[in-house]
Amino acid sequence: MSSPKALDRTADRRRSTGELHQTLAPLLPGDDSVLLIPAARHEEQARLEAEVFLELRAVGGLSAHPLGIVRLRPEGDRLTIRVTDAPYVVMCWADQLLPRSTGEPSDNPRDLITGVPGLRYHRDRGGIHLHRPGMPARITLTGFPARWWDRITDRMHRDYDDRLLQPHPGWTPCERAAYDVDSGWPFPPGPVFSPLLRRIRATAGPGTVNSTDAWSSDGGYRMEATDGPPCPELIRLLGDGPTGAGWQVTHKRCTCRCDHEHDSCTVDFLDPATGIAVRYGNGRWGRTADKSYELRMAELNAKAFD
């Protein structure tokens, strides 16, 4: 049986990642300190995690788990993600992430590719492994039958013909050009959104629908949640808490204690390591009272394999 003190030492990490205390207890340091959340060891690992996060907007509003992530296991050289076992959510992951050519002419190389440039996958008994050729980065997806992924990607090959780039073992010229354009961003997402993805459960509230979304805006980023946690909890888990990402609060408008359904909260964060601002909004939409949610999800899941 775990002692209350040991449970306290893993509490913030469990809240941020969804991991179980039983799996974390062997990792506890011997000095009675809390168990930290490791950062991505390599720049390419952080960049891949950030790009995956930013591409997954379509998953919003489909699950009680932000981005459909039930739990994740952060390690220095990889990230293992347990995705909810809902066919429609798994379909969104594949459709939003796997790169394909748009088939449309453009002067901007990034407009020639949808999805994450260079992303490839292979599967084994350990799950679906996402990687980039020649890059020291990997994300492993678990939590759902691998045959779902096969059925979804087989249909994508039929729907997109030769535009789906998975069969190419290496980078295509268009993908490399898109990757190089993204490298020139004035505010690179890796240092900000890799730590956030590794703490994504921190953005979830108690309701049946939790959506977390982010995009570039005004020299920084915006992040929104539908029914996120109370602001003090979020600030601790992403900011100044012992397992936080070190984000600093520059301004906030908190209405967590207000009983009006549609009052929203805003928190302006600053990542001091990069100087990048993240403006967070919690819409408090009241989606947790949506009685049609289960019916809607049943219909979407039924269509996922049509």
Side-chain angles (χ1 to χ4, degrees):
M1 180 179 295
S2 299
S3 68
K5 185 174 182 180
L7 288 169
D8 288 344
R9 293 170 65 196
T10 65
D12 276 4
R13 173 157 170 171
R14 285 186 283 115
R15 176 66 180 86
S16 297
T17 67
E19 294 169 284
L20 304 177
H21 176 76
Q22 291 87 338
T23 64
L24 295 177
L27 304 178
L28 282 169
D31 59 1
D32 290 337
S33 60
V34 302
L35 185 61
L36 302 179
I37 298 174
R41 186 175 299 125
H42 196 280
E43 179 181 349
E44 286 298 335
Q45 178 70 33
R47 176 171 176 174
L48 178 60
E49 293 173 11
E51 292 183 31
V52 164
F53 173 83
L54 291 172
E55 288 292 335
L56 286 174
R57 298 177 186 174
V59 183
L62 299 179
S63 173
H65 312 288
L67 307 181
I69 296 175
V70 177
R71 70 174 60 98
L72 43 78
R73 178 69 168 221
E75 300 175 82
D77 58 352
R78 71 174 62 186
L79 182 63
T80 302
I81 299 175
R82 184 177 183 86
V83 180
T84 185
D85 58 347
Y88 191 74
V89 172
V90 177
M91 186 182 73
C92 284
W93 273 70
D95 190 65
Q96 296 299 307
L97 296 183
L98 296 181
R100 57 186 181 270
S101 60
T102 62
E104 300 292 334
S106 175
D107 294 332
N108 185 344
R110 194 60 183 91
D111 292 337
L112 301 176
I113 299 292
T114 64
V116 178
L119 190 70
R120 301 292 186 268
Y121 72 86
H122 72 274
R123 57 161 290 198
D124 58 27
R125 293 183 179 179
I128 308 298
H129 307 289
L130 308 178
H131 63 95
R132 276 170 158 160
M135 298 290 190
R138 187 164 85 170
I139 297 174
T140 297
L141 308 182
T142 66
F144 56 89
R147 67 179 183 277
W148 290 5
W149 188 268
D150 291 339
R151 292 178 64 182
I152 290 165
T153 54
D154 285 347
R155 186 173 66 182
M156 291 176 66
H157 280 286
R158 294 194 303 269
D159 291 346
Y160 299 124
D161 299 322
D162 58 352
R163 291 191 290 125
L164 192 66
L165 301 177
Q166 167 66 21
H168 295 267
W171 292 76
T172 64
C174 287
E175 288 179 290
R176 177 59 73 173
Y179 176 89
D180 291 342
V181 166
D182 287 349
S183 298
W185 285 11
F187 32 97
V192 175
F193 289 114
S194 170
L196 177 60
L197 181 60
R198 288 173 172 240
R199 295 165 174 81
I200 193 63
R201 297 289 314 178
T203 68
T208 57
V209 179
N210 277 285
S211 171
T212 303
D213 191 8
W215 62 94
S216 59
S217 174
D218 298 329
Y221 291 96
R222 289 192 62 85
M223 180 173 71
E224 287 189 355
T226 50
D227 289 294
C231 293
E233 179 179 328
L234 184 77
I235 290 169
R236 186 185 79 250
L237 295 174
L238 297 184
D240 54 12
T243 65
W247 292 4
Q248 297 174 353
V249 176
T250 59
H251 181 267
K252 69 175 179 177
R253 175 184 176 271
C254 179
T255 63
C256 290
R257 296 182 180 180
C258 178
D259 59 1
H260 296 295
E261 181 177 339
H262 296 296
D263 278 1
S264 62
C265 299
T266 58
V267 182
D268 292 348
F269 290 103
L270 177 70
D271 177 39
T274 62
I276 295 174
V278 180
R279 297 173 177 86
Y280 165 78
N282 179 6
R284 299 181 66 199
W285 288 0
R287 301 270 308 267
T288 57
D290 186 355
K291 301 298 184 182
S292 65
Y293 169 72
E294 292 185 4
L295 177 61
R296 174 170 171 261
M297 283 307 303
E299 293 173 348
L300 291 173
N301 285 328
K303 293 178 179 178
F305 294 144
D306 285 350

